[in-house]
């Protein structure tokens, strides 16, 4: 059994696609119309081959409420791993990404939260070692 897809709820698929590709540097993988929405995925050029992130449209009101509750509580929707959090933080800051703080050491990781502009917080994490 393998994990090939993970999804993140977004309030605007087009804005999400621009953020995840133009700002973060992911690559568009799949873009298919599905009724009023799209099956829209991105992948990381640095990531495991075949793993995609679905930019899932929020078409279900309880999902919107849940997303907003996570955001307001400061709980990330997902985490991305980096091997150089200082460099990644500076690169993304220069591209206008809104961070909640500067990277902080937290035991076996260094981490920082940023906003994706589509209703989510993302935890950027560098494992120790």
């Amino acid at each position: 059994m393998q994990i090939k897809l993970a999804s993140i709820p977004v309030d605007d698929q087009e804005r999400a696609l621009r953020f995840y590709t133009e700002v973060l540097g992911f690559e568009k993988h799949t873009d298919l119309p599905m009724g009023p929405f799209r099956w829209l995925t991105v992948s990381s050029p640095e990531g495991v081959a075949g793993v995609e992130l679905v930019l899932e449209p929020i078409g279900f009101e309880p999902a919107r409420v849940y997303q907003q509750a996570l955001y307001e509580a400061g709980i990330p929707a997902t985490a991305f791993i980096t091997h150089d959090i200082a460099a990644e933080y500076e690169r993304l800051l220069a591209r206008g990404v809104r961070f909640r703080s500067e990277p902080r050491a937290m035991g076996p990781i260094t981490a920082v939260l940023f906003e994706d502009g589509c209703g989510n917080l993302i935890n950027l994490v560098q494992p120790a070692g």
Side-chain angles (χ1 to χ4, degrees), residues 2-5 26-27 29 42-53 81 83:
Q2 298 178 346
I3 297 174
K4 290 288 195 171
L5 298 170
F26 292 173
E27 297 171 346
H29 189 272
V42 295
S43 58
S44 170
E46 300 172 20
V48 176
V51 175
E52 300 169 54
L53 180 66
I81 303 298
H83 297 293

Side-chain angles (χ1 to χ4, degrees), residues 94-107:
R95 291 182 175 203
V97 173
R98 293 183 54 173
F99 285 90
R100 291 287 177 102
S101 68
E102 293 183 358
R104 294 179 294 181
M106 305 166 92

